[in-house]
Amino acid sequence: MNRRTFFQTFLAGTVASRLLPSTSHAQTTSAPSGPFTLPPLPYPPNALEPYIDAETMTLHHGKHHAAYVNNLNKAIATYPDLQKKSAEDLLQNLDSLPADIRTTVRNNAGGHVNHSHLWKTLKNPGEKPSGKLAKEIDQTFGSYDKWKEEMIKTAMGVFGSGWAWFARGQDGKLFIKPYPNQDSPVMEGANLIYGIDIWEHAYYLKYRNLRADYVKACLEVSLYSF
Ligand code: MN3
């Protein structure tokens, strides 16, 4: 089954109804229903086993990511103008936001953007970069293995919760950098390519304190060639 067929089958299946926020739930919760919504996982939660376990995926997507979306909607509930903006737009213009919601938007729009990208880049089995990006990685980091080393070093160096991001800056150059909390390269106008989530919610159920094993596992289930 190729990825597309798989995705279609998955959407048609009962798993989808458990992952997609149901209308009845939206009606009974006090969280505003929009404008931001939780994107469905593009695969079943067990698709990345044994590297990333189904329970972690279910909680990470259905609880943690959902909370960022709900909290972002709540923060802008009384600001109709902000509801028309994209999450990326909000992150790139934090200084222009009302001071009382600035930090909440930074954390939750960041969480929404970072995770929306993360789900799309995970796939089992992982693929190595190909084409133009592979060449650029060789030119920028020396080789794919050196790039991998740099990702691992950056991910291991994050103190507390945060991310290791591989992204393309506004100047067109590739870079790898650590970000605290839910900060995102998007805040600097960069384009996300691939991130490793270093919050304990992303790995603690399966990996406990063994962050290095989790980071290596991420690199096994990652799709870079998009
Ligand atoms: Mn996370």
Side-chain angles (χ1 to χ4, degrees), residues 186-199:
V186 167
M187 288 161 63
E188 304 144 25
N191 286 312
L192 305 178
I193 301 176
Y194 168 66
I196 300 181
D197 186 341
I198 309 298
W199 283 60

Side-chain angles (χ1 to χ4, degrees), residues 60 64-65 68 115 118-119 163 182 197 199 201-202:
H60 198 178
H64 292 276
H65 187 172
Y68 298 125
H115 288 86
L118 175 69
W119 312 132
W163 291 74
Q182 291 297 347
D197 186 341
W199 283 60
H201 68 224

